């Protein structure tokens, strides 16, 4: 198993002239992985590369960190099945703009569209492909092993930042002009949350069991299937489940309700008019391209969906990380009150 961690960091930065914007899909190999996962056809890689390969994320690449004496709260973010570290740039950027440092992991458990690591020999790379459930193996056992590795990587990410805050150096193998040590006096590690989408949502729930320093979790359309029943009573901290309208099953909803019945602070809300991919950057693809890859899209305008999701998350994070901010203005979203939100998990609604 490759040691180390792979992540993209989103953080509040100082404005500067001539800042470059990073590519959304960091390398062409990721288009191959995406084509394989989403379309089942690796040969579509070149077409996907033409369609999305030159998209850029509207942020300043390696911009100077905006200092904050009280320290920024930290969010560790876990991606969904077949995704990778940059496909949630819209939600991660949004949260960073409100004063968080967000570490978006790329998992090495064969659940990313593809990923790579650099072994000890300088200048070499080893790619880790996406892996489907092997024939003859039960899906639960395969996915359960992955979710434990993913949650462990979330804990290791937290250890990395705890080390940096304690003055330990964190050497990076990839060439970069940004020194992680600038975070040393700019993080408040008493205020740490874990967050994720789909497979990443259930990863965030499990991370709460593995690490008490995570004060709460935000689970976007969590895929609850891989988590063993025995662990539900062990989840010590509150979870905010933000679901889309069409993805959840009654079994998955029942699992969320098991957690909310054990913790009065856990919340379950649904954003009406949204589909599973609306919580990723894919929501911002042109309609025809989205439909080609994923089928039907949600009826709620993507920016509105992103605003509701981030505002609900911010209200929940303020409550459980004890933040001195104005995010309480969105508290009603946590009760499922407002346009386009509903409490709980609605089934069979004909909203789309």
């Amino acid at each position: 198993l490759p040691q180390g961690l792979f992540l993209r960091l989103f953080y509040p930065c100082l404005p500067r002239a001539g800042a470059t914007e990073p590519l959304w899909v960091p390398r062409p190999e990721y288009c191959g992985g995406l084509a394989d996962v989403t379309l089942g056809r690796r040969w579509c890689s070149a077409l996907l590369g033409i369609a999305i390969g030159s998209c850029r994320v509207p942020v300043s690449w390696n911009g100077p960190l905006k200092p904050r004496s009280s320290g920024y709260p930290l969010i560790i973010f876990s991606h969904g099945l077949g995704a990778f570290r940059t496909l949630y740039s819209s939600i991660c950027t949004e949260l960073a703009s409100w004063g968080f440092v967000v570490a978006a992991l790329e998992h090495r458990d064969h659940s990313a569209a593809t990923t790579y690591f650099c072994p000890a020999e300088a200048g070499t790379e080893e790619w880790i492909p996406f892996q489907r459930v092997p024939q003859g193996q039960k899906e639960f056992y395969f996915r359960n092993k992955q979710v434990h590795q993913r949650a462990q990587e979330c804990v290791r990410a937290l250890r990395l930042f705890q080390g940096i805050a304690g003055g330990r150096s964190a050497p990076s193998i990839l060439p970069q002009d940004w020194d992680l040590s600038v975070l040393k006096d700019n993080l408040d590690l008493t205020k740490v949350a874990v967050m994720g989408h789909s497979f990443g949502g259930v990863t965030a729930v499990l991370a709460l069991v593995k690490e008490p320093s995570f004060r709460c979790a935000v689970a976007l359309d969590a895929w609850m299937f891989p988590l063993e029943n025995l662990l539900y009573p062990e989840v010590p901290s509150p979870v905010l489940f933000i679901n889309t309208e069409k993805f959840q099953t009654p079994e998955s909803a029942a699992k969320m309700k098991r957690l909310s019945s054990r913790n009065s602070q856990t919340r379950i809300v649904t954003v009406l008019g949204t589909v599973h991919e609306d919580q990723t950057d894919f929501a911002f693809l042109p309609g025809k391209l989205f439909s080609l890859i994923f089928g039907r899209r949600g009826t709620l305008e993507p920016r509105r969906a992103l605003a509701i999701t981030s505002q609900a998350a911010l209200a929940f994070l303020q409550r459980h990380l004890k933040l001195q901010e104005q995010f309480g203005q969105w508290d009603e979203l946590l009760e499922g009150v407002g346009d386009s939100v509903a409490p709980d998990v609605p089934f069979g609604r004909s909203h789309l």
Side-chain angles (χ1 to χ4, degrees):
L1 182 71
Q3 285 308 301
L5 284 163
F6 200 10
L7 57 86
R8 176 165 283 192
L9 202 65
F10 296 83
Y11 55 90
C13 74
L14 298 167
R16 56 172 182 165
T20 55
E21 296 182 342
L23 283 168
W24 177 46
V25 178
R27 293 179 51 162
E29 289 90 344
Y30 287 94
C31 283
L34 270 181
D36 188 27
V37 172
T38 57
L39 303 167
R41 301 182 186 90
R42 188 162 271 276
W43 60 265
C44 292
S45 169
L47 296 176
L48 209 54
I50 292 164
I52 62 175
S54 59
C55 293
R56 292 188 176 268
V57 183
V59 295
S60 168
W61 180 245
N62 283 345
L65 178 77
K66 184 179 181 182
R68 181 169 172 173
S69 56
S70 59
Y72 293 110
L74 174 69
I75 298 171
I76 308 293
F77 192 96
S78 170
H79 64 73
L81 189 63
F84 44 90
R85 69 190 186 284
T86 62
L87 294 188
Y88 298 89
S89 295
S90 46
I91 186 79
C92 293
T93 302
E94 185 65 23
L95 293 169
S97 76
W98 288 100
F100 290 83
V101 168
V102 185
L105 293 184
E106 190 158 290
H107 291 294
R108 264 86 176 259
D109 62 334
H110 292 277
S111 70
T114 189
T115 185
Y116 64 99
F117 71 100
C118 304
E121 310 84 70
T124 61
E125 292 171 355
E126 270 182 48
W127 285 84
I128 303 171
F130 177 77
Q131 196 180 344
R132 291 181 165 79
V133 181
Q135 267 200 306
Q137 208 179 111
K138 281 199 159 61
E139 184 171 22
F140 175 79
Y141 295 108
F142 184 70
R143 298 297 183 206
N144 178 257
K145 187 165 174 270
Q146 286 182 314
V147 78
H148 278 271
Q149 181 181 332
R150 291 164 133 262
Q152 207 50 57
E153 286 174 342
C154 292
V155 175
R156 289 215 336 256
L158 174 58
R159 296 283 176 269
L160 170 75
F161 292 104
Q162 287 170 333
I164 291 165
R168 277 207 301 279
S169 73
S172 173
I173 291 169
L174 296 178
Q176 59 171 33
D177 307 321
W178 205 81
D179 185 359
L180 280 167
S181 67
V182 301
L183 291 168
K184 181 176 180 296
D185 300 313
N186 287 289
L187 288 174
D188 181 351
L189 294 181
T190 64
K191 296 175 168 45
V192 186
V194 59
M195 183 170 182
H197 174 246
S198 196
F199 204 0
V202 75
T203 301
V205 173
L206 179 56
L208 293 179
V209 177
K210 292 189 183 282
E211 178 50 61
S213 297
F214 290 126
R215 307 284 287 276
C216 63
V218 177
L220 306 177
D221 230 6
W223 182 42
M224 299 303 287
F225 169 75
L227 191 59
E228 58 266 51
N229 286 330
L230 215 108
L231 286 180
Y232 282 82
E234 305 293 316
V235 177
S237 307
V239 182
L240 170 62
F241 291 102
I242 306 178
N243 298 317
T244 65
E245 207 172 339
K246 296 290 178 184
F247 179 72
Q248 295 300 336
T249 61
E251 296 76 31
S252 194
K255 291 179 171 182
M256 293 175 189
K257 286 177 181 167
R258 275 187 72 182
L259 289 175
S260 65
S261 68
R262 289 180 167 276
N263 190 321
S264 63
Q265 293 301 309
T266 285
R267 293 286 180 275
I268 308 170
V269 297
T270 296
V271 184
L272 303 175
T274 56
V275 298
H276 193 55
E277 289 75 24
D278 283 335
Q279 293 178 329
T280 72
D281 295 342
F282 290 122
F284 297 95
L285 289 181
K288 281 197 172 63
L289 187 58
F290 182 97
S291 306
L292 185 72
I293 302 174
F294 301 111
R296 203 154 167 197
R297 73 185 308 163
T299 52
L300 190 63
E301 198 274 319
R303 280 186 180 75
R304 181 77 193 114
L306 175 65
I308 291 170
T309 301
S310 47
Q311 287 165 6
L314 289 165
F316 190 76
L317 292 165
Q318 166 153 319
R319 194 177 281 187
H320 298 293
L321 300 183
K322 311 270 190 284
L323 306 177
Q324 304 298 310
E325 303 287 353
Q326 305 299 312
F327 307 150
Q329 62 182 304
W330 299 307
D331 273 349
E332 63 174 14
L333 291 173
L334 302 179
E335 312 310 325
V337 174
D339 289 345
S340 304
V341 287
D344 224 330
V345 190
F347 295 111
R349 297 182 74 109
S350 54
H351 208 283
L352 273 187

